[in-house]
């Protein structure tokens, strides 16, 4: 068997679920969900350079906390954990599809991603992203959804 046929796709889309657990779709002209416009977040795969950079950054933060506390564990506050998780998810996000976040104004790319993930009232989105990224099968080549 040629094992390279099992390589993860470079990116994969997560179809975002709302707080009620239902898949989200951008509204059409009639204001109703347009099933041809899914709300998705495209993530870089667990084997990507973006993932490696996010993991390295998380390790550096942990080591810095240990160093600042004379080698003793020093857990981050909930606010700091949320901010760090938002940074990490933003680093591994390729792009949003049919998802806007007016509080971020004209922000695009990383600043927009980080703003969405850091919003505590939208924490269910960050949770979905983390779960999605933790599953290599989300990046099965040719898989249309996550």
């Amino acid at each position: 068997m040629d094992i390279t046929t099992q390589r993860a796709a470079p990116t994969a889309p997560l179809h975002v679920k709302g707080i009620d657990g239902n898949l989200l779709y951008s509204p059409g002209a009639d204001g109703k969900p347009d099933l041809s416009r899914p709300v998705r977040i495209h993530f870089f795969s667990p084997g990507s350079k973006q993932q490696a950079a996010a993991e390295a950054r998380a390790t550096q933060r942990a080591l810095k906390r240990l160093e600042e506390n004379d080698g003793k564990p020093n857990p981050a506050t909930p606010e700091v954990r949320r901010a760090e998780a938002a940074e990490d998810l933003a680093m591994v996000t390729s792009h949003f599809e049919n998802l806007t976040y007016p509080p971020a104004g004209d922000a695009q790319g990383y600043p927009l991603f980080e703003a969405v993930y850091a919003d505590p009232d939208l924490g269910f989105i960050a949770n979905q992203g983390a779960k999605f990224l933790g599953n290599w099968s989300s990046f099965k080549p040719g898989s249309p959804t996550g």
Side-chain angles (χ1 to χ4, degrees):
M1 175 190 180
D2 178 358
I3 199 64
T4 63
T5 62
Q6 298 298 303
R7 286 187 170 149
T11 62
L14 163 67
H15 192 159
V16 178
K17 293 180 182 178
I19 197 166
D20 60 3
N22 292 319
L23 293 173
L24 295 177
Y25 296 88
S26 192
D30 60 2
K32 295 180 181 176
D34 180 345
L35 299 182
S36 69
R37 298 181 63 207
V39 174
R40 298 193 289 196
I41 300 172
H42 294 255
F43 288 105
F44 292 105
S45 78
S48 69
K49 64 182 179 181
Q50 292 85 352
Q51 281 281 355
E55 290 172 15
R57 190 170 175 178
T59 299
Q60 289 170 349
R61 285 192 306 252
L63 291 173
K64 183 178 178 186
R65 271 200 283 280
L66 276 172
E67 182 181 302
E68 290 172 349
N69 202 35
D70 296 325
K72 297 180 181 115
N74 185 16
T77 66
E79 296 80 17
V80 170
R81 280 196 312 271
R82 183 182 306 112
E84 290 175 352
E87 291 171 7
D88 294 345
L89 283 171
M91 287 181 72
V92 298
T93 299
S94 169
H95 62 281
F96 286 166
E97 180 181 349
N98 300 313
L99 188 157
T100 61
Y101 185 68
D106 293 334
Q108 296 291 315
Y110 180 91
L112 171 62
F113 308 151
E114 185 178 22
V116 170
Y117 300 136
D119 186 326
D121 294 327
L122 294 174
F124 60 94
I125 295 174
N127 287 354
Q128 288 175 57
K131 183 176 178 183
F132 182 83
L133 288 165
N135 187 352
W136 276 83
S137 68
S138 298
F139 295 86
K140 181 179 175 187
S143 179
T145 61

